[in-house]
């Protein structure tokens, strides 16, 4: 579904097909805001696997301003293409207290990720310049225009429509107080639809031994 189709659905509910109250650019802006909101709520929908060139040293930054790393998967530039495993920073510090200052290497063995610093991660040993690894992360959606195909939001267009409606009614709530409740209803509906399949996915996952 294209962005324009989502906005057409929203305008039909708003009964504003001629854009008398909410302009086209305004609605498109809220659609893009809604996509960012969806990425924060359901980063799995925006999962991407990419080869990235590491910075020299231990500290690395996720591309595209991402705030969610799923895994540092494997070495790409190293001949053996060794898998890279997650290790707790405290555990690594216990056995290698000065690991951040050790010699830089062309092959990565472990990575460290702290949820309190979601936009970055560390690699062990520290990387030489030019080392390439594969990562899996939540890639924030690019800004959409009317003709953009909303690939990541397939099957979740209803949530995106409700988010646009939420922002529309919230804007008018100062002049029409009843719109506060209407806006809240649309936000709740968007979140309920978006999060509704999370439990089902957990139950049917091959990683769930009870599945």
């Amino acid at each position: 579904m294209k962005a324009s189709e989502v906005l057409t659905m929203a305008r039909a509910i708003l009964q504003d097909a001629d854009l008398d109250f909410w302009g086209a650019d305004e609605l498109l802006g809220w659609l893009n805001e809604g996509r960012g909101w969806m990425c924060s709520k359901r980063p799995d929908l925006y999962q991407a696997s990419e080869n990235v060139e590491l910075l020299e040293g231990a500290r690395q930054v996720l591309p595209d301003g991402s705030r969610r790393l799923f895994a540092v998967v494997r070495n790409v530039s190293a001949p053996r293409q060794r898998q890279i495993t997650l290790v707790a920073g405290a555990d690594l510090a216990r056995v290698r207290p000065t690991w951040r200052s050790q010699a830089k290497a062309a092959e990565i063995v472990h990575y460290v990720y702290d949820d309190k610093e979601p936009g970055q991660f560390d690699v062990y040993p520290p990387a030489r310049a030019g080392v390439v690894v594969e990562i899996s992360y939540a890639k924030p959606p690019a800004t959409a225009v009317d003709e953009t195909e909303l690939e990541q939001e397939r099957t979740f267009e209803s949530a995106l429509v409700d988010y646009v409606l939420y922002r529309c009614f919230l804007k008018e709530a100062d002049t029409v107080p009843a719109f506060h409740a209407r806006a809240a209803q649309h936000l709740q509906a968007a979140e309920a639809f978006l999060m509704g399949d999370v439990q089902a996915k957990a139950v049917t996952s091959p990683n769930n031994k009870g599945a």
Side-chain angles (χ1 to χ4, degrees):
M1 178 173 284
K2 294 180 179 180
S4 59
E5 294 176 271
V6 171
L7 296 181
T8 296
M9 293 167 63
R11 284 195 289 269
I13 296 170
L14 292 168
Q15 298 182 9
D16 189 32
D18 295 328
L19 306 176
D20 294 325
F21 298 100
W22 294 279
D25 290 343
E26 182 178 28
L27 293 183
L28 185 60
W30 286 334
L31 179 143
N32 279 304
E33 180 183 294
R35 297 179 80 206
W37 172 80
M38 289 175 69
C39 186
S40 69
K41 291 286 186 179
R42 288 289 306 275
D44 58 298
L45 299 179
Y46 299 84
Q47 185 278 336
S49 294
E50 294 182 358
N51 295 341
V52 297
E53 184 174 323
L54 298 180
L55 303 172
E56 184 173 326
R59 179 54 53 90
Q60 308 297 323
V61 178
L62 289 174
D64 305 307
S66 175
R67 304 284 289 173
R68 180 64 62 90
L69 175 70
F70 297 125
V72 181
V73 181
R74 64 185 177 95
N75 288 276
V76 174
S77 56
R80 297 189 300 172
Q81 300 202 351
R82 174 181 180 150
Q83 293 292 119
I84 301 171
T85 56
L86 176 66
V87 65
D91 292 342
L92 186 56
R94 258 193 302 275
V95 297
R96 295 282 190 276
T98 59
W99 69 271
R100 291 180 184 276
S101 61
Q102 75 178 63
K104 298 173 180 63
E107 183 177 72
I108 306 303
V109 179
H110 301 302
Y111 72 97
V112 177
Y113 185 62
D114 187 342
D115 288 324
K116 296 189 292 294
E117 300 177 304
Q120 57 194 25
F121 63 98
D122 293 288
V123 294
Y124 171 83
R128 289 181 188 171
V131 169
V132 178
V133 300
E134 179 187 344
I135 67 169
S136 172
Y137 73 111
K139 185 172 185 174
T143 301
V145 297
D146 282 344
E147 296 306 305
T148 299
E149 290 285 349
L150 304 179
E151 296 291 339
Q152 298 98 330
E153 295 85 5
R154 281 181 301 179
T155 76
F156 290 96
E157 294 94 344
S158 179
L160 204 47
V161 170
D162 271 311
Y163 188 90
V164 172
L165 294 173
Y166 150 68
R167 294 294 279 125
C168 287
F169 286 113
L170 188 63
K171 176 190 174 184
E172 300 299 320
D174 288 341
T175 53
V176 185
F179 282 177
H180 278 291
R182 182 74 183 270
Q185 289 170 0
H186 283 293
L187 182 60
Q188 290 168 3
E191 186 158 8
F193 191 88
L194 185 64
M195 306 302 291
D197 74 331
V198 172
Q199 184 175 1
K201 287 180 69 174
V203 170
T204 58
S205 169
N207 293 318
N208 188 329
K209 294 181 180 179

